[in-house]
Amino acid sequence: MSIRYVLGRLLFFFVVVWAGITLIFFLPRLAPGRDPVRERLGMMAAMGGMNAENVERLAQAYEAKFGLDLPLWQQYLNYMSDIARFNLGYSLAKFPTRVIDIIGPALPWTISLLTVATVLAFLLGSLLGGLIAWDGAPPILRFLLPPLFTFSAIPYYLLGLILIYLFAFKLKWFPLTGGSQILTMPSVSFSYLLELIYHSILPALSIVLASIGFWALSMRGMMITVEGEDYVTLAEAKGLPSGRVFLWYAMRNALLPQTTALALSLGTILSGSLLVEIMFGYPGIGSALFIAITGFDYFVIYGIVFMIVVTIALATLILDLIYPLLDPRIRYQEN
Amino acid sequence: MTVLRVENLRVHYHTKDGPVRAVENVSFALQRGERLGLVGESGSGKSTMVLSLLRMLKPPARIESGRVLLGDIDLLALTDAQMRAARFSQIALIPQGAMNSLNPVMRIKTQLMDTIRYHNRNNRLDQSEIMAHIHELLEAVGLDRSVANMYPHELSGGMKQRVCIAMGISLQPQVILADEPTSALDVVVQRQVMETLGQAQEEIGASLILVGHDMGLMAQFVNTIGVMYAGKLVEIGPVDAIFEEPLHPYTRLLIASLPSLEGKRIFRGIPGITPSLLTPPPGCAFHPRCPQVMEHCKAEAPVLQEVRPGRWVSCLLY
Amino acid sequence: MDNVLYHIRRNGMLTAGFVALFLMIALWFIGYMTVDVKQAAPLSARPDLPPSREFLLGTDSAGRNMLAVMVIGAPATLQIGLIAGALGTIVGTILGFTAGYFGGIVDSVIRSIADVGLTVPALAVLVVIASVITTTLSPEILALIIAGLAWMFPTRTIRSQVLTMRERAYVEVARLNGLNNLEIIFKELMPNLLPYLAASFVGAVSAAVLAAIGLEALGLGPQSEPTLGMTIYWARYYNGLPRGMWWWWAPPLLIIIMLFIALFMISAGLDEIANPRARRTT
Ligand SMILES: Nc1ncnc2c1ncn2[C@@H]1O[C@H](COP(=O)(O)OP(=O)(O)OP(=O)(O)O)[C@@H](O)[C@H]1O
Ligand code: SF4
Ligand SMILES: [Mg+2]
């Protein structure tokens, strides 16, 4: 892999994160004459209560950094330096909890659900799409196309809603909501793990079902192109077993544009699965975001949006660095 | 000694509008060590014929009838598994589009190894022997053995086609099919690659069917020329005799349209339009363009006959 | 026009998509003619009624006639998609053409911005905006906000199409014939790109609807108007699902799904026209 390529991708990572931070900072300030955070702090101070003193402190700290008397660029720099140190501020609704302490515990839930479901859907979908396009595959597979097609047109979380209704409400096979039983204490035990899996089957299923068709359809398109390539014809002419031709000549090449498509879809996939979390009350970032929105908890909202941007930028970076391992033409470029 | 005998081969593409008769009743025999050059304008069915010998055609193409005898085995009667085993070990292909014939994500050695390994029944060769064989093959086609570790995109067009030749001879097949093997290369490289192909073929004592457009190249390279028109073999005979006195009117036009003896003799095309293979003209398919057309040519279809010793022609003039 | 009819006749996907869309519009029209749309407001009827002869789709907990809500909500949702999709495609076309045709610095700048913008998830950006103006958000404003993000994908695809077309012979011929840039763009490139533009537009419409209902699932949609997404949100908010009130959330959900499937089929059909290579599909 050439140094230039790696540096280029790293630069892209930082530009994306920077763009995200900049949007989070400027977009709310575009609303004329309004600072929702200040309004919210004012409201909280007016309500008084136990935390009045803390709110006062919070408001003062906010004024010091983002006060109206400071020039915008000064506020922006303050904001950047805070974020660079992962200082995301305090929750307005659950003061004195820090934003990072709300995001931290939620993140593993989201990441595990998301990676398992996405990797599963990507691999299964690609394999299925490849087989559907392959002449040597059982024709039965072709009947899978219409249902897959239908599922792939449904947004993840609406499919989730249907699954909840069917399997949790009607059939009662799965819990209606949550990531684990409310009364169970987290522990490192087999039964707790089983419970976690039990609670995540439906959310994962909605993501997998809704996206497997997307990957199958796009893989089928790639395979139709690749199958016409001379190297596949030659591989067959060589008398290789058709499994070998399928996997190592056709699929292997069709996987390249498919991986690019994965990198491009990361944002959509993450957004979709955050909404799935909300439908299932699954205790990840999505639910945290939902709670923050209902409570006008701006620092938490901005913190979560920042985390989303970083996560996507990171995942894109990882895929960008994996891609050359799949494609020697990029690996050896400018070497 | 006859290595390959094709009898009454018919291949149709079954399209929505009806069958496209891409190969109609083609018969010929190929001797050991012989080089047969197949010429004919675009769409005359050369590639279809070549691919049908390997049974590589996909729907809508179907082999309607005929026999392809390799020794005394009819390739068309083999099971799929038997045919797969025969590919490259008995009858190999050097493809047309050299630029894109190698898997871009696989090293050259792996692609050569694939060919050898899957035909290496009972594991007669071990890994190091296979590797040694690969190095031999690469050197035999004029490449450095370091090429084994490279990827296709690191090679020039000529080098890629040499790799394809190495692949084609790697199992010492009896017949090599080469479909326009140099059409994607520039002239100088073309000659070199053809020389390599010729040497490699002679070394393993295989017979060769070469499809091409360059009559000059054909004249120098092959022993026998077969001329295809509208899915049919209209003339076949020794190369010298055909250049000296072409018998079929189409062959005559073909040779007359060549610019000069020295220049690059690429077939330029002859007046009239190529016939549709969906609804070929009745009688002799060439009659709408034939300068010597006779009345009964429009109704009666000629068959390939030996009109002089070694000269087979399909025309009612004879 | 003949050409369009020809494609519709030969192209199953496209036909099915248009038929589905037409059916939905026809259904909507029947609803619009027969239902009193004022009943989409709260307190129009007794709350929590299951479907009956009087209220075909029942009523919700606020006493809205669900059928009236659907008649009002479906076009509101589609409107968001159409406005955002149209603006996104227009801006994307202009930028894509500029970048692809002129190349150089202009191209680098446009492409980089679009690439970065495509990587930052749209939903995240929308959340930031909508959380600030949530109380005043109308469907039209929501559409404009989404349009602000909807241009990037069309820009990217159209740019790459223009890049490949620019190299084709007929553009060279046109240039030799003395046509200027604008003439080449409008007389030579545009007509060839029409299927792509149409596919881009349909794609942008469904992306915009997806973004809108995503925001609405978070409670950040227009509060005053019962769009399909907001209806599902309220149904969830007031526990319509555990209370077994399927008639509250299922109709908007089905309409959304049908809309997506119809748009998906149309864009797949358009792709087939734009991209003959994919045509070998049965
Ligand atoms: N998939 C297909 N469906 C229908 N007809 C086909 C198909 N493939 C080839 N044909 C037809 O079969 C005929 C023979 O084609 P073929 O490729 O064998 O010709 P060729 O002699 O090799 O031409 P060229 O010199 O251009 O390579 C042509 O008329 C072509 O139109
Ligand atoms: S058969 Fe008749 S038409 Fe055909 S080539 Fe001979 S002379 Fe010409
Ligand atoms: Mg050919």
Side-chain angles (χ1 to χ4, degrees):
Chain A
M1 224 183 294
S2 71
I3 296 290
R4 243 188 93 173
Y5 177 82
V6 177
L7 286 182
R9 299 333 295 169
L10 269 174
L11 179 67
F12 187 73
F13 168 81
F14 285 113
V15 170
V16 169
V17 172
W18 166 80
I21 298 173
T22 306
L23 286 174
I24 297 171
F25 177 82
F26 282 106
L27 284 178
R29 286 171 173 75
L30 285 182
R34 282 194 57 202
D35 181 342
V37 177
R38 187 170 292 111
E39 282 173 20
R40 184 79 192 138
L41 284 169
M43 245 166 75
M44 284 163 69
M47 280 191 295
M50 306 198 297
N51 271 331
E53 198 180 313
N54 285 332
V55 171
E56 191 58 34
R57 274 219 321 269
L58 195 58
Q60 271 166 14
Y62 183 77
E63 286 301 326
K65 267 183 189 159
F66 306 110
L68 289 174
D69 49 332
L70 288 175
L72 201 59
W73 62 266
Q74 185 71 55
Q75 298 182 33
Y76 180 53
L77 286 185
N78 285 339
Y79 189 69
M80 293 281 266
S81 77
D82 272 1
I83 289 246
R85 281 173 280 133
F86 275 81
N87 175 7
L88 302 177
Y90 292 89
S91 163
L92 296 174
K94 297 182 202 141
F95 192 77
T97 315
R98 289 185 308 162
V99 171
I100 201 86
D101 292 325
I102 292 180
I103 296 177
L107 208 53
W109 291 92
T110 299
I111 303 233
S112 54
L113 176 68
L114 190 64
T115 27
V116 171
T118 307
V119 168
L120 212 64
F122 182 76
L123 293 181
L124 281 178
S126 299
L127 188 63
L128 214 64
L131 282 173
I132 288 174
W134 188 246
D135 285 329
I140 301 270
L141 283 175
R142 260 150 251 225
F143 292 106
L144 283 174
L145 210 54
L148 285 179
F149 185 88
T150 312
F151 282 139
S152 74
I154 307 177
Y156 301 179
Y157 78 95
L158 293 184
L159 194 60
L161 205 58
I162 299 175
L163 293 183
I164 295 178
Y165 181 71
L166 290 179
F167 295 107
F169 180 72
K170 279 274 169 196
L171 296 171
K172 301 198 171 31
W173 290 355
F174 291 97
L176 265 174
T177 178
S180 63
Q181 225 68 47
I182 293 169
L183 294 178
T184 328
M185 289 306 283
S187 63
V188 195
S189 70
F190 188 62
S191 66
Y192 184 64
L193 185 70
L194 273 186
E195 195 180 313
L196 292 186
I197 293 178
Y198 178 59
H199 277 76
S200 42
I201 285 181
L202 275 192
L205 195 63
S206 13
I207 301 176
V208 171
L209 268 188
S211 49
I212 203 170
F214 177 80
W215 296 123
L217 286 176
S218 91
M219 190 62 172
R220 174 171 157 273
M222 315 282 181
M223 279 293 273
I224 287 172
T225 312
V226 169
E227 264 188 12
E229 298 283 0
D230 296 332
Y231 51 79
V232 174
T233 312
L234 185 61
E236 278 169 10
K238 286 201 290 194
L240 302 186
S242 68
R244 175 86 184 164
V245 181
F246 174 70
L247 280 177
W248 291 96
Y249 288 77
M251 282 288 273
R252 181 66 178 70
N253 279 289
L255 218 47
L256 297 178
Q258 184 83 339
T259 310
T260 312
L262 177 62
L264 286 178
S265 321
L266 286 173
T268 320
I269 297 173
L270 177 66
S271 310
S273 74
L274 294 184
L275 299 174
V276 167
E277 288 184 4
I278 298 171
M279 290 297 132
F280 286 90
Y282 184 88
I285 295 287
S287 296
L289 179 62
F290 184 67
I291 295 168
I293 287 172
T294 1
F296 300 99
D297 199 344
Y298 289 103
F299 288 143
V300 178
I301 299 179
Y302 300 157
I304 288 178
V305 168
F306 168 70
M307 282 315 291
I308 292 175
V309 174
V310 172
T311 310
I312 292 297
L314 199 63
T316 309
L317 178 66
I318 293 172
L319 273 182
D320 280 346
L321 295 184
I322 288 179
Y323 190 84
L325 303 180
L326 296 177
D327 190 348
R329 283 163 292 189
I330 304 247
R331 199 181 330 156
Y332 286 76
Q333 227 168 40
E334 304 162 54
N335 235 357
Chain B
M1 192 186 86
T2 304
V3 174
L4 179 77
R5 181 186 295 280
V6 174
E7 292 177 355
N8 298 319
L9 186 64
R10 291 168 68 233
V11 184
H12 295 176
Y13 288 93
H14 292 270
T15 65
K16 253 186 253 155
D17 308 316
V20 173
R21 298 159 205 277
V23 176
E24 268 297 273
N25 277 319
V26 167
S27 304
F28 63 89
L30 192 66
Q31 306 303 318
R32 187 176 163 76
E34 184 182 354
R35 294 172 180 175
L36 165 66
L38 270 185
V39 297
E41 57 196 345
S42 190
S44 55
K46 305 179 299 288
S47 297
T48 307
M49 223 267 296
V50 162
L51 285 178
S52 65
L53 301 185
L54 272 167
R55 281 179 44 191
M56 284 285 300
L57 290 167
K58 296 234 172 71
R62 200 169 72 202
I63 299 178
E64 301 296 324
S65 60
R67 297 207 294 170
V68 177
L69 294 163
L70 192 72
D72 34 47
I73 302 165
D74 182 3
L75 292 183
L76 302 186
L78 295 182
T79 64
D80 284 349
Q82 287 170 326
M83 187 63 219
R84 191 177 304 138
R87 285 185 189 146
F88 265 58
S89 66
Q90 305 290 323
I91 178 163
L93 174 75
I94 293 170
Q96 173 167 25
M99 309 312 282
N100 201 16
S101 289
L102 296 172
N103 186 344
V105 299
M106 234 183 219
R107 286 181 202 278
I108 300 302
K109 65 173 173 204
T110 321
Q111 306 195 39
L112 282 164
M113 211 183 288
D114 258 6
T115 320
I116 300 168
R117 213 174 46 198
Y118 285 98
H119 289 282
N120 178 22
R121 257 170 273 121
N122 319 323
N123 296 314
R124 274 185 298 112
L125 299 172
D126 66 27
Q127 195 71 16
S128 64
E129 284 171 313
I130 293 182
M131 229 22 245
H133 185 36
I134 287 174
H135 288 151
E136 260 169 46
L137 285 168
L138 289 174
E139 278 163 6
V141 295
L143 290 172
D144 194 89
R145 49 168 70 190
S146 64
V147 167
N149 274 321
M150 295 189 179
Y151 285 95
H153 72 274
E154 299 172 86
L155 308 180
S156 69
M159 291 166 87
K160 281 190 236 183
Q161 196 55 299
R162 282 167 198 271
V163 170
C164 289
I165 294 173
M167 218 175 261
I169 60 170
S170 62
L171 301 171
Q172 311 205 323
Q174 302 183 50
V175 178
I176 299 175
L177 309 172
D179 189 351
E180 305 191 41
T182 58
S183 61
L185 306 175
D186 69 58
V187 191
V188 183
V189 184
Q190 266 185 6
R191 301 264 155 180
Q192 294 167 351
V193 170
M194 286 310 290
E195 254 164 51
T196 306
L197 174 60
Q199 279 165 12
Q201 172 239 347
E202 263 163 23
E203 207 151 296
I204 64 168
S207 315
L208 177 74
I209 298 182
L210 176 72
V211 175
H213 282 111
D214 187 340
M215 291 290 272
L217 202 78
M218 288 284 179
Q220 290 177 12
F221 192 76
V222 301
N223 322 116
T224 311
I225 283 212
V227 182
M228 286 192 73
Y229 186 82
K232 289 184 177 149
L233 198 58
V234 293
E235 174 159 13
I236 183 167
V239 63
D240 302 337
I242 287 196
F243 268 85
E244 210 152 284
E245 194 195 358
L247 293 180
H248 194 281
Y250 176 65
T251 319
R252 271 184 214 150
L253 282 175
L254 251 179
I255 289 176
S257 71
L258 297 174
S260 77
L261 276 173
E262 269 67 47
K264 196 183 163 206
R265 300 197 280 184
I266 291 201
F267 171 56
R268 286 261 166 71
I270 54 171
I273 46 160
T274 333
S276 145
L277 299 185
L278 202 58
T279 47
C284 172
F286 188 54
H287 83 251
R289 298 163 85 184
C290 180
Q292 282 150 290
V293 59
M294 303 167 292
E295 201 44 51
H296 62 295
C297 296
K298 293 171 188 164
E300 191 182 332
V303 288
L304 195 67
Q305 286 173 315
E306 190 166 22
V307 298
R308 290 184 205 168
R311 303 290 308 267
W312 295 75
V313 183
S314 156
C315 172
L316 298 173
L317 286 174
Y318 304 93
Chain C
M1 196 60 213
D2 279 353
N3 206 358
V4 174
L5 288 177
Y6 167 83
H7 279 303
I8 288 183
R9 223 174 299 134
R10 302 245 352 191
N11 190 320
M13 276 291 189
L14 200 59
T15 319
F18 275 123
V19 167
L21 206 57
F22 179 78
L23 274 180
M24 290 171 69
I25 293 174
L27 271 176
W28 172 82
F29 190 73
I30 295 172
Y32 186 76
M33 297 313 287
T34 52
V35 177
D36 177 10
V37 291
K38 283 199 210 80
Q39 292 188 342
L43 304 177
S44 307
R46 264 187 35 219
D48 297 341
L49 290 177
S52 65
R53 196 169 291 245
E54 191 186 356
F55 301 108
L56 284 177
L57 290 178
T59 63
D60 71 3
S61 293
R64 299 184 183 96
N65 177 354
M66 283 309 294
L67 189 55
V69 170
M70 292 302 96
V71 169
I72 297 282
T77 294
L78 188 59
Q79 179 200 2
I80 297 175
L82 289 176
I83 296 179
L87 286 178
T89 312
I90 292 171
V91 175
T93 307
I94 295 171
L95 289 178
F97 264 100
T98 316
Y101 192 79
F102 295 104
I105 288 273
V106 186
D107 180 36
S108 309
V109 170
I110 293 178
R111 200 192 52 208
S112 310
I113 295 178
D115 276 357
V116 172
L118 278 173
T119 310
V120 178
L123 190 71
V125 179
L126 291 174
V127 162
V128 174
I129 304 175
S131 63
V132 179
I133 52 173
T134 175
T135 42
T136 52
L137 196 60
S138 69
E140 290 78 12
I141 292 182
L142 181 57
L144 288 181
I145 295 173
I146 293 175
L149 299 170
W151 55 271
M152 291 176 279
F153 200 72
T155 300
R156 201 189 153 102
T157 50
I158 290 164
R159 169 187 170 272
S160 63
Q161 278 311 316
V162 172
L163 270 188
T164 55
M165 287 203 177
R166 199 179 58 169
E167 305 306 324
R168 304 240 174 100
Y170 57 82
V171 173
E172 210 44 55
V173 172
R175 194 167 293 140
L176 290 176
N177 283 342
L179 295 187
N180 66 32
N181 284 333
L182 278 183
E183 281 172 320
I184 292 178
I185 287 179
F186 282 104
K187 289 196 182 137
E188 305 291 332
L189 293 179
M190 270 299 190
N192 287 296
L193 274 172
L194 270 182
Y196 282 101
L197 296 181
S200 273
F201 171 65
V202 178
V205 171
S206 37
V209 174
L210 186 68
I213 62 169
L215 262 188
E216 290 167 340
L218 286 162
L220 289 175
Q223 309 287 316
S224 53
E225 211 142 335
T227 57
L228 298 177
M230 281 319 280
T231 308
I232 294 176
Y233 173 77
W234 294 124
R236 259 187 51 78
Y237 194 85
Y238 291 109
N239 285 323
L241 198 135
R243 286 161 65 202
M245 293 171 63
W246 55 266
W247 60 88
W248 195 348
W249 53 268
L253 189 145
L254 284 180
I255 296 177
I256 292 174
I257 291 176
M258 268 180 65
L259 181 64
F260 275 121
I261 291 178
L263 291 176
F264 192 74
M265 287 195 288
I266 293 176
S267 89
L270 287 171
D271 259 356
E272 230 170 274
I273 297 173
N275 215 343
R277 236 180 155 173
R279 226 175 266 173
R280 210 204 85 186
T281 54
T282 34

